[in-house]
Amino acid sequence: MRDRRVLLSHMLLCAERILEYTSGGRSAFLADNRTQDAVVRNLEVIGQIVRDLDAQCLGDISAGVPWHAIAGMRNVLAHQYLGVDMLLVWKVVEDHVPALRDAVIELLDGDLPGTA
């Protein structure tokens, strides 16, 4: 297994990219297919990293973050690609990505079990 810090660092990068790509707001996001594609891809990567790190383990060390829901969102985005609701994606970006970014920063700044 890769070092958890490497995976968490990549998760942080994805969250920061999402926030950068969506800085123009909801209307700009909904009007731009490329931005939508980039955000969805980064959300999928975040979800896969959560799966790789084990959502239950993450929950044990960082309670309050909906790790299982994050992993589940990856499945929705990857498998329901024809029916992905961009308004739902925007809600996730607006309501959850900033808190996720902050939680990952906190994990990286702390004493993370299972790291080299």
Side-chain angles (χ1 to χ4, degrees):
M1 178 172 161
R2 285 184 255 177
D3 184 301
R4 289 181 180 185
R5 288 194 185 282
V6 171
L7 293 172
L8 286 168
S9 293
H10 194 70
M11 189 187 313
L12 177 60
L13 176 65
C14 289
E16 289 174 341
R17 284 179 176 167
I18 290 168
L19 295 173
E20 175 188 343
Y21 299 158
T22 59
S23 64
R26 180 178 180 261
S27 295
F29 170 74
L30 294 174
D32 186 2
N33 292 332
R34 288 180 181 160
T35 300
Q36 293 171 15
D37 289 349
V39 168
V40 166
R41 173 66 179 146
N42 279 282
L43 287 171
E44 288 174 341
V45 170
I46 288 170
Q48 186 61 50
I49 291 170
V50 170
R51 291 174 54 115
D52 291 348
L53 289 173
D54 182 10
Q56 182 63 47
C57 177
L58 287 169
D60 291 346
I61 58 176
S62 183
V65 177
W67 298 110
H68 289 287
I70 293 168
M73 181 70 169
R74 178 252 175 233
N75 291 337
V76 169
L77 295 172
H79 300 294
Q80 301 296 324
Y81 51 88
L82 292 177
V84 172
D85 179 353
M86 286 302 149
L87 290 173
L88 174 63
V89 172
W90 176 255
K91 184 158 179 55
V92 168
V93 168
E94 188 173 50
D95 295 347
H96 301 290
V97 173
L100 173 65
R101 178 198 55 210
D102 294 345
V104 173
I105 289 170
E106 189 174 310
L107 285 170
L108 286 167
D109 286 345
D111 186 21
L112 187 63
T115 57

